[in-house]
Amino acid sequence: MGDEFSEVLARTAHIAAGWLGSLDQRPVGETASLAELRGRLGGPLPDGSADPVAVVEELVRAAEPGMVAIPSGRYFGFVIGGGLPAAVAADWLTTVWDQNAGLYACGPAASVAEEVAGEWLRDLFGLPAGSSYAFVPGCQAAHLTCLAAARHHVLRRAGWNVEEQGLAGAPPMRIVVGARRHATIDRALRLLGFGTATLTVVPADDQGRMDVAALRDVLRDGPPAVVCAQAGEVNTGAFDDLAAIADVTGPAGAWLHVDGAFGLWVLASPKLRHLADGAERADSWAFDAHKWLNVPYDSGIAFCAHPEPHRAAVSVTADYLVQGGAGDPRDAIDWTPGFSRRARGFPVWAALRQLGRQGVAELVERCCAHARTFADGLARVPGCEVLGPVVINQVLFRFGDDATTDRVLRHVVDSGEAWLSGTIAGGRRAIRLSVCNWRTSDDDIQRTLAAFAAAAGSHR
């Protein structure tokens, strides 16, 4: 059995190294259609078994044409990072070790790796001492975790045990959100029993920043509230004025949650952390490691300044579970919505250990510098309009009318030189570029600019 594993893992490592080595030359987008992929991967389930090496080789032949080169330095879609070498290797080991990281008893080292990585992140971001944390699949689950804690806290103060009594008949509770919030906020709230029609929406400016004066008016009267602010709007990268929002939410007794999926990483940079001034005064924070920390998918993290409501909202016990013990080990099942779960702490630990404090800051700052270079280059492309300043790593732009913008984007993606996506800004089509990958180089930026210049020239 050991030899069988050795052979298949060695062959897989060879294939993986070849994939990574091809990133500079291969098209960034997929080269197979949906129908082709279904034909390659589909068909009836075979009756008999197959050699593991042959299965892996068959999978690679069938799937690779449908792969998007997300680890490439010229992948600028959504806000997706690559994978640092140490993090990728640790993620492989996480799979091989196959620890169930729900309980310390099932994976002692996995539990301690999460504990150490959580403390490193808390220190790196300057969050309050004693804040609790949870390693979850992504920012969506981090919002769910944090807002469950917020729900418990607000209703508990009103004399209601929501975990026991549910929401039916509960005291009134307001959820206050910005007009340009991320869709994952609404989804988390829906899962927690708050319909979107019940949300109080505060206006935002053209960059997506919450109107603090309007928030003050909303909080002046009414039942207890949870306020969801934002560090890094998904199109513009703009930050809500978190210090001013904290000035408003504090006296009102509202719980302040910060959606910092990618933007909170500026807290790791001495040059950029001023953008998130006031973040440390929030009650909870949600962000991703598979974005700017460049940890493989999936890896999100929730922090909560109030461990008691955090634990009360999501913990679980059962007679057969082995929880706690000598030395007070950390059972992740007490802090996450997950039960059986992947040991996400290992890759995060490895990424932080590879980069160190200075390396994380340099990675964030380098990506932001690339974004500024890209915006400056686009401004010289005939017909291109850069929409607003580059705040961090997001560049928003368009070409003439909607049809031209879409054609230019399609031309660049079809060329294979880069991959990025469209969006809507101010009611019109636009293109959004995000620099979030440790691999992205000056050459990657210049190649992509050349592709846009060629595309714009062909559509004039």
Side-chain angles (χ1 to χ4, degrees), residues 191-376:
L191 293 171
L192 289 169
F194 299 100
T196 53
T198 68
L199 306 184
T200 300
V201 180
V202 176
D205 66 14
D206 61 352
Q207 293 297 299
R209 296 170 293 214
M210 184 185 290
D211 184 328
V212 180
L215 174 65
R216 184 179 293 109
D217 291 340
V218 165
L219 294 180
R220 186 168 287 121
D221 298 303
V226 173
V227 176
C228 298
Q230 186 166 236
E233 200 273 338
V234 75
N235 279 337
T236 67
F239 285 66
D240 286 344
D241 188 338
L242 299 176
I245 291 173
D247 287 342
V248 173
T249 57
W255 178 291
L256 176 55
H257 172 66
V258 177
D259 173 7
F262 62 100
L264 267 184
W265 286 97
V266 301
L267 291 173
S269 163
K271 295 179 181 178
L272 297 169
R273 66 176 301 120
H274 66 278
L275 294 169
D277 280 349
E280 73 285 352
R281 297 165 60 190
D283 298 285
S284 58
W285 307 261
F287 58 96
D288 283 314
H290 54 231
K291 289 186 169 67
W292 239 336
L293 189 58
N294 281 242
V295 167
Y297 274 89
D298 51 16
S299 185
I301 302 159
F303 270 88
C304 184
H306 312 287
E308 290 182 9
H310 178 183
R311 187 169 190 164
V314 299
S315 64
V316 64
T317 59
D319 290 343
Y320 73 92
L321 294 178
V322 179
Q323 293 172 269
D328 193 22
R330 184 177 187 275
D331 290 310
I333 201 171
D334 289 332
W335 307 102
T336 74
F339 203 89
S340 297
R341 55 192 293 277
R342 184 173 177 80
R344 294 184 180 90
F346 288 131
V348 175
W349 185 97
L352 292 170
R353 183 64 185 87
Q354 177 183 335
L355 293 173
R357 187 183 303 273
Q358 184 175 345
V360 176
E362 289 174 350
L363 172 57
V364 171
E365 291 162 9
R366 184 169 69 250
C367 288
C368 294
H370 284 320
R372 293 192 296 272
T373 298
F374 198 90
D376 291 344

Side-chain angles (χ1 to χ4, degrees), residues 104-242:
Y104 176 86
C106 294
S111 173
V112 173
E114 282 195 14
E115 183 179 290
V116 172
E119 291 170 356
W120 282 352
L121 286 168
R122 187 172 57 205
D123 176 57
L124 184 68
F125 282 16
L127 301 181
S131 296
S132 52
Y133 46 86
F135 286 69
V136 293
C139 206
Q140 173 74 85
H143 290 322
L144 184 68
T145 303
C146 292
L147 293 172
R151 183 183 65 176
H152 171 94
H153 177 78
V154 171
L155 291 178
R156 193 68 167 182
R157 285 192 308 175
W160 189 266
N161 185 333
V162 68
E163 286 75 35
E164 179 181 317
Q165 298 171 274
L167 282 175
M173 173 178 167
R174 286 179 301 164
I175 308 293
V176 183
V177 298
R180 293 274 290 274
R181 65 199 179 277
H182 196 271
T184 52
I185 290 287
D186 288 29
R187 192 182 191 203
L189 290 167
R190 291 203 323 265
L191 293 171
L192 289 169
F194 299 100
T196 53
T198 68
L199 306 184
T200 300
V201 180
V202 176
D205 66 14
D206 61 352
Q207 293 297 299
R209 296 170 293 214
M210 184 185 290
D211 184 328
V212 180
L215 174 65
R216 184 179 293 109
D217 291 340
V218 165
L219 294 180
R220 186 168 287 121
D221 298 303
V226 173
V227 176
C228 298
Q230 186 166 236
E233 200 273 338
V234 75
N235 279 337
T236 67
F239 285 66
D240 286 344
D241 188 338
L242 299 176

